């Protein structure tokens, strides 16, 4: 690692002179012990370093109001589409990520004290990555961010750069920190508390910390923008799988839409998809009524570290960290839509069977709910429709869900709950020193062994297909023997799917005018329809590192040549263990429950929505060797070069990646820097293991079952990276401009199910490989309509080439006074930074088996967003600025955050004609027509932070975040805003207290 004798702790971005990053916002310089600066393994001064490294110190964090890690990440203009501040529907709860350059969190390598961490299990939906919530905040001294490809130094995963969290070594005594944030409508607000104890010895130090942080639940309905009236068939939490739903004849022909759509909180639509007060042909259900913008979260942290000299030339370091993230009740829709159905031999429907011999759910004529519906025949049902119900009815396969507007049968708030818990621990220890005497004299060495385990436990519910059909037939309930019981007698109960069994709406509280008390469902019987399953996912990593370095006696014009070399061994293991109902081997089919064996050609589990998965246990061993050299060619010119070779074995094989960088101090006030190299990322071992997993995706406004197939023939993705920068420092002024570029080949991607479905056309459907990717309603031909698709198969592939580039700009001026005036001995610093994304071009995506099928055309993602499919948002301009006024005992800081609006990465709405097929369409209630959403509004956020030093070694802080209480701009997403860039919290008042003992 690159060594430096100085550290400027007041930098939000980098320390321009000391760290050579050409960055601004530096103040409060203090001399400290030798520190590690991310980017090199060579010891030496850093003022000539060529790579762009940003450093955020503990003093700077205090001036910003002690933001959480997630809040801090969202202020970094180089980070895009990072998650953690708000809920992303049904994925990643309790975790936080950083995503440099928008290349994905799996392409940003997160380190702690220069050592690797295990991937979080909860980030699997993002392709991997480490959880920033693991970091023990009370122990962190600074954060170093290398925004350049770093595979030559750190290996696979350091594609977009490296984020290194460094722990403190300076504490001697006790320190308490506490913060409370008041958030309107939040259930208890957000607060955290930590205690740290440090001890300085003659030959070392120790550090112990403990912390707790909690987040209060913020209901989506507490923010006007999050739950809106019907806006679009694609977004806003609206689903075409409706409640109340639609029904058909026993043969599957369309028959009627159930009563009560509008009054119970759903929305009736005309055949042209326009909201209507009554008589609508369609009904839409808004599942986000039961969601939270922010989940209730609890985070627990313990950390210990010790450093001491064993001898005059050998030092020992050891650290242990433990963290738990607990999301006790992630609130979800009370039940999911249906992607699986009963088999033809159990349903009773005469509709043609399709996939796995499944056909439609059938409600027999004997069902009391159907009898009441047919007998009352309340408008808008017609006499002809009611007469056609006499032989029983089938449920729609696409426009129906069993439980929705009435809410969950056992939970007072109507939502279903999912529990998520992650437990992580990490142990790292090592020796470092310097050889003295003999052939090795003067060579520094550093060895370490690190182990980390991340275990995630997710417990969730889903409806069981066969229990639903049995209950329709009058054989429902825990006490009913479906083999010997009599329908509707004793413990055997009927399930009424119709709205006449709903007394009140869980969405709007309205009484149901169609309610018939005698056919209401027994809550216990409805609860019996749910099956609970648990997934325990475990990721482990074991890393052994050994590095040597030396400054040679060979002198160049600027000093002596220095070098470093090392080896690394990594062992990764990923384990997935599913309880029986979620295990495709234990419960392969919809009728493999309650003692039945079940037979199906394509095992996908017993649930209506979630697919069963296979247990797996895969591991990987990686060996690496690397070398680096620093050439101080002149006093004003330093050149460095590095190369790393990694061997993954198997089909992945090995890869070698070089890097070269240079810095030229052309004048005292002007410097230039540049770097170029190659980087890579290996496919995950699970993705290489034959098999598949089943989940769901939002496709054309409705969730569909999606099978994701692994690919044993994946190759590593590679990228050529480059950075060119200019650095100016003159008096109190400092500025930098950097041009950066990443050029990918064979990018590792998961095909997008929405794009695959959008490619449905006669030409593509005539190609067998494309047609084989779909399962359709009742075995219908794939090309009839997108609405017929029940399940799609996507694959993990080496996809298109991708190129992204842009500029980082920074400037700062440090006044010794108050803007040139003497004002109570105050000092002022003014600064700004911006990241301008010039391009994010991806080539066209083609079908793996048949490249003549184009799944998605080439696109430039710069300035665009997709917040339900591939999930990204890339504002062309991301900027921040601040004014900092410091007195002897206080510090006042104003901060401004800016994010330019984006446009959706989809065709532009052409009015009513495009409403059903164009995601850009948004319904305008004043004109009664559909119109293009267009470019999203720009987002501005204003913050104010005050820190005051009090007596008795106490510091108090006061913050107002989002002073103007600005709502995030509308965006096509589940909660109607861009969760990667906007702030869902509104105005936040925060107070903090720090006390040392």
């Amino acid at each position: 690692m690159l060594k430096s004798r100085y550290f400027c702790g007041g930098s939000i971005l980098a320390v321009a002179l000391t760290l050579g990053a050409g960055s601004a916002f530096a103040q409060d310089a203090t001399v400290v012990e030798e520190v590690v600066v991310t980017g090199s393994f060579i010891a030496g001064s850093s003022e000539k370093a060529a790579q762009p490294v940003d450093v955020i110190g503990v003093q700077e964090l205090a001036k910003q109001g002690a933001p959480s890690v997630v809040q801090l990440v969202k202020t970094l203009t180089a980070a895009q589409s990072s998650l953690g501040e708000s809920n992303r529907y049904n994925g990643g709860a309790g975790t936080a990520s950083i995503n440099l350059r928008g290349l994905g969190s799996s392409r940003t390598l997160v380190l702690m004290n220069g050592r690797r961490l295990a991937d979080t299990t909860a980030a699997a939906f993002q392709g991997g990555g480490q959880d920033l919530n693991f970091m023990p905040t009370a122990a962190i001294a600074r954060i170093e961010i290398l925004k350049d490809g770093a595979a030559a130094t750190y290996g696979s995963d350091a594609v977009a750069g490296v984020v290194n969290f460094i722990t403190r070594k300076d504490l001697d005594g006790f320190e308490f920190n506490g913060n409370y944030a008041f958030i309107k409508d939040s259930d208890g607000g957000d607060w955290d508390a930590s205690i740290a104890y440090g001890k300085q010895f003659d030959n070392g130090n120790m550090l112990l910390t403990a912390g707790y942080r909690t987040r209060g639940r913020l209901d989506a309905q507490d923010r006007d923008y999050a739950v809106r009236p019907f806006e679009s068939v694609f977004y806003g939490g609206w689903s075409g799988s409706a409640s109340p739903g639609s029904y058909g004849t026993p043969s599957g022909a369309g028959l009627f839409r159930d009563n009560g759509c509008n009054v119970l909180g759903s929305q009736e639509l005309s055949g042209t998809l326009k909201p209507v007060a009554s008589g609508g042909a369609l009904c839409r259900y808004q599942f986000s009524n039961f969601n939270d913008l922010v989940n209730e979260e609890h985070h627990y942290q313990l950390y210990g570290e010790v450093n001491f000299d064993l001898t005059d030339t050998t030092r020992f370091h050891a650290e242990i960290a433990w963290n738990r993230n607990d999301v006790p009740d992630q609130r979800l829709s009370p039940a999911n839509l249906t992607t699986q159905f009963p088999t033809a031999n159990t349903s009773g429907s005469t509709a043609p069977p399709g996939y796995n011999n499944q056909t439609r759910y059938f409600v027999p004529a004997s069902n009391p709910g159907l009898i009441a519906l047919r007998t009352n025949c309340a408008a808008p049902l017609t006499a002809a429709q009611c007469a056609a119900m006499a032989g029983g009815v089938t449920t729609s396969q696409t426009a129906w869900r069993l439980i929705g507007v009435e809410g969950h049968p056992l939970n007072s708030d109507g939502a279903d709950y999912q529990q998520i818990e992650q437990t992580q621990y990490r142990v790292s220890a090592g020796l470092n020193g310097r050889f003295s005497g003999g052939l090795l004299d003067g060579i520094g060495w550093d060895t370490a062994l690190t182990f980390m385990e991340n275990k995630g436990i997710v417990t969730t519910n889903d409806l069981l297909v066969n229990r639903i059909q049995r209950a329709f037939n009058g054989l429902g309930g825990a006490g009913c023997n479906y083999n010997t019981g009599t329908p509707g007698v004793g413990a055997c109960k009927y399930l009424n799917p119709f709205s006449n069994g709903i007394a009140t709406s869980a969405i709007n509280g309205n009484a149901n005018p169609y309610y018939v008390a005698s056919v209401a469902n027994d809550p216990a019987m409805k609860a019996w329809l749910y099956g609970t399953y648990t997934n325990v996912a475990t990721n482990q990593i074991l890393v052994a590192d050994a590095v040597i370095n030396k400054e040679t006696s060979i002198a160049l014009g600027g000093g002596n040549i220095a070098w470093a070399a090392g080896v690394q061994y990594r062992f990764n293991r990923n384990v997935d263990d599913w309880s029986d109902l979620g295990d495709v081997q234990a419960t392969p089919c919809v009728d493999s429950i309650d003692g039945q064996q079940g037979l199906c050609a394509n095992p996908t589990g017993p649930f209506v929505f979630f697919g069963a998965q296979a247990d797996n246990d895969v591991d990987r061993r990686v060996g690496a060797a690397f070398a680096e050299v620093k050439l101080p060619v002149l006093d004003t010119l330093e050149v460095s070069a590095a190369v790393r070779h990694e061997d993954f074995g198997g089909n992945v094989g090995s890869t070698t990646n070089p890097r070269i960088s240079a810095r030229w101090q052309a004048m005292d006030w002007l410097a230039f820097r540049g770097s170029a190299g190659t980087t890579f990322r290996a496919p995950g071992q699970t993705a290489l293991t034959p098999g598949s997993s089943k989940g769901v995706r939002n496709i054309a406004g409705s969730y569909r079952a999606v099978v994701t197939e692994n690919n044993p023939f994946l190759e590593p993705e590679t990228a050529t990276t480059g950075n060119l920068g200019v650095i100016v420092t003159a008096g109190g002024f400092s500025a930098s401009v950097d041009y950066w570029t990443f050029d990918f080949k064979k990018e590792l991607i998961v095909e997008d199910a929405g794009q695959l479905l959008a490619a449905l056309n006669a030409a593509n459907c005539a190609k067998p490989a494309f047609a084989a990717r779909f399962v359709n309603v009742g075995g219908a031909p794939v090309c009839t309509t997108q609405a017929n698709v029940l399940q799609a198969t996507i694959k993990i592939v080496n996809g298109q080439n991708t190129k992204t580039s842009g500029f980082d700009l920074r400037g700062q001026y440090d006044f010794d006074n108050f803007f040139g005036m003497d004002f109570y001995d105050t000092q002022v610093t003014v600064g700004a930074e911006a990241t301008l994304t010039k391009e994010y071009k991806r080539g066209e995506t083609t079908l793996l088996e048949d490249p003549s099928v184009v799944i998605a055309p080439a696109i430039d993602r710069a300035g665009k967003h997709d917040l339900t499919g591939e999930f990204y948002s890339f504002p062309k301009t991301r900027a921040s600025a601040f004014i900092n006024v410091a007195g002897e005992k206080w510090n006042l800081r104003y901060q401004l955050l800016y994010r330019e609006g984006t446009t959706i990465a989809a065709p532009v709405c052409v009015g009513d004609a495009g409403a059903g097929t164009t995601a850009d369409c948004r319904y305008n209630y004043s004109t009664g027509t559909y119109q293009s959403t267009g470019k999203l509004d720009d987002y501005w956020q204003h913050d104010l932070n005050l820190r005051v030093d009090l007596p008795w070694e106490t510091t108090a802080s006061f913050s107002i975040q989002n002073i103007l209480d600005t709502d995030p701009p509308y965006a096509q997403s589940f909660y109607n805003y861009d969760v990667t860039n906007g702030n869902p919290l509104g105005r936040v008042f925060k107070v903090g207290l720090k006390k040392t003992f």
Side-chain angles (χ1 to χ4, degrees), residues 603-673:
T604 49
F607 296 114
V608 300
F609 186 66
F610 292 117
Q613 316 293 336
D615 290 347
N616 69 71
D617 187 344
V618 298
D619 58 57
R620 164 181 285 165
R621 294 163 176 81
V622 181
F626 49 91
E628 185 178 0
V629 62
K630 180 179 72 175
L631 304 172
V633 180
L634 302 169
D635 282 339
T636 59
L637 178 63
E638 180 178 286
V639 178
S640 296
V643 64
R644 184 182 182 106
H645 177 81
E646 289 202 349
D647 187 359
F648 289 81
N651 292 334
V652 177
S654 61
T655 181
T656 301
N657 291 271
R659 188 200 74 223
I660 187 169
S661 58
R663 189 178 191 276
W664 175 38
Q665 191 72 42
M667 300 180 185
D668 288 344
W669 58 273
L670 178 65
F672 299 90
R673 64 180 173 198

Side-chain angles (χ1 to χ4, degrees), residues 793-983:
T793 296
I794 59 176
K795 300 188 177 185
I796 306 171
V797 299
N798 286 107
Q800 64 284 307
N801 296 336
T802 298
K803 182 176 182 180
T804 181
S805 63
F807 297 88
D808 288 334
L809 298 85
R810 297 171 185 149
Q812 175 175 309
Y813 195 92
D814 296 317
F815 294 87
D816 292 332
N817 46 37
F818 189 80
F819 296 106
M821 301 176 291
D822 185 11
F823 183 75
Y824 294 101
D825 296 323
T826 58
Q827 295 178 318
V828 172
T829 300
V830 179
E833 71 161 341
T835 295
L836 311 179
T837 301
K838 176 176 173 287
E839 61 182 347
Y840 198 125
K841 295 180 179 178
R842 304 184 89 200
E844 66 180 19
T845 304
T846 59
L847 196 72
L848 176 65
E849 308 93 318
D850 186 348
S852 70
V853 178
V854 176
I855 298 175
I859 185 176
D860 186 351
R861 288 181 166 183
K864 295 183 173 63
H865 69 262
D866 175 358
L867 297 168
T868 60
E870 293 191 87
F871 201 80
Y872 62 81
S873 179
F874 299 128
K876 286 189 174 181
T877 302
R878 296 166 56 89
S880 62
F882 74 91
I883 301 173
N884 196 93
V885 184
E888 182 180 0
K889 297 289 186 180
W890 56 272
N891 191 91
L892 180 65
R893 185 186 189 96
Y894 162 76
Q895 297 179 161
L896 174 65
L897 184 71
Y898 169 75
R899 298 294 181 262
E900 184 180 359
T902 55
T903 57
I904 194 169
V908 175
C909 181
V910 291
D912 290 358
T917 57
T918 308
D920 182 48
C921 287
R922 183 180 181 191
Y923 188 70
N924 185 322
Y925 284 88
S926 63
T927 64
T929 60
Y930 279 94
Q931 63 186 35
S932 171
T933 298
K935 184 178 180 180
L936 306 184
D937 293 336
D938 297 343
Y939 179 68
W940 302 82
Q941 180 175 313
H942 306 263
D943 301 334
L944 194 66
N945 304 295
L946 174 65
R947 187 187 66 182
V948 180
D949 292 337
L950 303 175
W952 308 294
E953 297 185 277
T954 302
T955 301
S957 61
F958 309 89
S959 301
I960 307 177
Q961 300 167 8
N962 193 4
I963 297 171
L964 301 181
D965 197 20
T966 304
D967 284 343
Y970 173 84
Q972 300 97 327
S973 69
F974 300 125
Y975 306 113
N976 300 304
Y977 83 105
D978 184 346
V979 302
T980 70
N981 287 296
N983 177 2

Side-chain angles (χ1 to χ4, degrees), residues 123-185:
F125 75 101
Q126 301 178 69
Q130 295 80 44
D131 179 18
L132 301 187
N133 283 336
F134 172 77
M135 300 302 169
T137 53
I140 299 301
R142 67 187 187 280
I143 306 166
E144 300 172 353
I145 304 172
L146 171 61
K147 300 175 299 182
D148 197 5
T153 306
Y154 296 103
S156 181
D157 307 325
V159 177
V162 177
V163 179
N164 192 4
F165 289 79
I166 310 296
T167 54
R168 60 196 300 188
K169 307 291 188 291
D170 60 341
L171 184 62
D172 195 6
F174 285 94
E175 180 179 280
F176 168 81
N177 272 281
N179 297 279
Y180 173 76
F182 171 78
I183 302 168
K184 182 182 177 182
D185 301 313

